[in-house]
Amino acid sequence: MLDFPRWKILSIFGVLLLGVLLAVPSLMPDHTARALGLGGMPRINLGLDLAGGSHILLEADTADVAKTRVAAMEDSVRDSMHAMQPAIDIGDISTADGALSFFVRDPARVDAAVEKIRTLTAPVGSTGTRDWDVKVVDSTRIVLTPTQGGINQFVDQAMKGATDIVRKRIDALGTKEPTIVRQGSDRILVQVPGLQDPAKLKALIGKTAKLEFKLVDTQADPQKVAAGQAPIGDQILRYQNGAPIAVKRRAIITGTDLAKAAQDYDGQTNEPVVSITFGSKGARAFAEVTQQNVGKPFAIVLDNVVLSAPSINEPILGGAARINGNFTVDSAQQLAISLQSGALPIALKTVEERTVGPGLGADSIHAGVVASAIAVALVVAFMLVTYGRFGVYANLAVILNIFVILAAMALLNATLTLPGIAGFVLTIGTAVDANVLINERIREERRRGRNVVQAVELGYKEASRTIFEANVTHAIAGTIMLLLGSGPVKGFAVVLLLGIVTSVFTAVTFTRMLVALWLKRHRPQAIHI
């Protein structure tokens, strides 16, 4: 058990040396690391409570879901009726009270229309219900109403997509280690360390970025439009200045067909604009629509607000366009990021926002460093006084354990939070537990009359079982916190689990190697422990 071949000794020293080297960049300021050419090495990221930053809690606007579902179903109904052989002739599709309705001009084809419409609905899990309720009213009018089960299912799916899109938008800011987690059924928690402007963050991720191009209804009565009364098939939207405008409810093209969006400048006014480029499918559709509607105005609508309504002077064949909207450079860049990452599948509203100042984080780091230094000093002094040479080995193990934990966290790109520092200090204290058990076991074996080598060998062998069992129980608790916890609890669990693994390596394997080398070289007849 005390036999260490050369390859094993070199491997242990190699792992520890690598751990020290990987930990060094995390112990110095970022600009110093870059100046020393260590900028590319992995570093530990500081969490919101240490680095400062922005905290926002978003909540889905579930009241708007039914309206969104009805609007999305409208196109599907129209397309499915036209796709029938022969096509089913239907009247205008109207939406009111959260339902969608239309009448079938040929009463003999009502059943065929209902059968086709039912194919557009889907079951809601294993509840036995469907996401839409379809019924016939007045013998020729078909009414579709989203069910509550369908709305709940849509919210669940939309929240998954919204979380991914929020992550894409924040990643585009170049921030490190943002925390983006779903809370409950309809909330998303966003924490961005280092970003001290929550308004900018809110403007970026709170915007749905639903881009639509809609034809303007030039035949609408201006007085009715001003009164908010939309003709059938139209809807009343408003410009940024609040002026109303009647547009066709059906979008001729949407932002889902975008391939690229970027902030740019208008060649004539030099004002910030957003340049957009459609993909091949979108470009063909855009070209077709502009060819068919030359001379007609169309509205560029973002999140139900009309940015502009220019006339189509000629077909736009290149698949590229510009959005003007009295932008600043920042707002144009944010809109470009939002369009590039895609529209949110569900509207999100901010229900909580906080800013954590870097001063508070600096105080926390200082307090954590002081606590860690005191803990290390006291542990070192205790082990040195109590166990002499064996205490020196244990102290070396504690110090190296600190470096190895930091290196592991840097390699895992982990984020250090305030609870993580607490876990770090706790790990320092518990790291010597193994050596205390081993040393006390060696003492006991010496009192039983064993010689030095036998006492050391039995001390490590017998104590290892207890050390293993104790760490397994800690690991079980840490794993449960990691799996079920979030935010600070998870940060504590990560440090705790890493500390368990590294402390076993340094406190058992490393110290056993040092003791074995000392025994082999000096062959002592007595030890002071």
Side-chain angles (χ1 to χ4, degrees), residues 312-373:
I312 303 174
N313 296 323
E314 57 186 12
I316 303 174
L317 305 178
R322 283 182 173 178
I323 302 175
N324 297 283
N326 297 323
F327 297 120
T328 63
V329 173
D330 280 346
S331 63
Q333 288 176 341
Q334 290 176 3
L335 177 57
I337 291 173
S338 300
L339 293 176
Q340 186 73 37
S341 59
L344 289 172
I346 190 169
L348 299 174
K349 56 185 179 183
T350 304
V351 295
E352 180 183 321
E353 63 176 277
R354 280 188 279 134
T355 302
V356 180
L360 178 61
D363 292 342
S364 301
I365 294 174
H366 177 72
V369 171
V370 170
S372 300

Side-chain angles (χ1 to χ4, degrees), residues 57-74:
L57 183 62
L58 302 168
E59 185 177 79
D61 186 1
T62 53
D64 190 54
V65 170
K67 189 187 300 182
T68 304
R69 293 277 289 158
V70 169
M73 176 60 87
E74 182 177 342

Side-chain angles (χ1 to χ4, degrees), residues 377-388:
L378 292 179
V379 168
V380 166
F382 175 80
M383 295 299 291
L384 192 60
V385 171
T386 306
Y387 299 112

Side-chain angles (χ1 to χ4, degrees), residues 104-187:
V104 180
R105 298 187 190 282
D106 182 359
R109 304 205 66 190
V110 170
D111 290 342
V114 170
E115 184 176 352
K116 183 63 178 178
I117 292 299
R118 290 193 192 283
T119 64
L120 301 178
T121 67
V124 180
S126 57
T127 60
T129 61
R130 301 188 75 82
D131 56 352
W132 287 84
D133 179 42
V134 183
K135 61 183 179 181
V136 179
V137 178
D138 299 333
S139 69
T140 58
R141 180 168 292 275
I142 298 176
V143 179
L144 290 85
T145 308
T147 63
Q148 189 58 47
I151 291 176
N152 293 340
Q153 180 177 261
F154 176 79
V155 169
D156 182 63
Q157 295 173 347
M159 289 299 291
K160 293 177 183 175
T163 304
D164 292 338
I165 290 175
V166 167
R167 189 182 305 280
K168 287 180 183 177
R169 292 182 182 181
I170 294 178
D171 287 346
L173 291 176
T175 57
K176 291 183 177 179
E177 284 299 304
T179 298
I180 305 166
V181 295
R182 187 173 164 186
Q183 289 195 337
S185 61
D186 59 351
R187 290 187 170 187

Side-chain angles (χ1 to χ4, degrees), residues 253-282:
I253 195 166
T254 68
T256 56
D257 298 315
L258 283 181
K260 182 181 178 183
Q263 184 266 322
D264 202 351
Y265 292 93
D266 188 294
Q268 296 180 342
T269 64
N270 204 33
E271 292 180 347
V273 298
V274 177
S275 297
I276 57 175
T277 305
F278 292 101
S280 57
K281 178 183 174 184

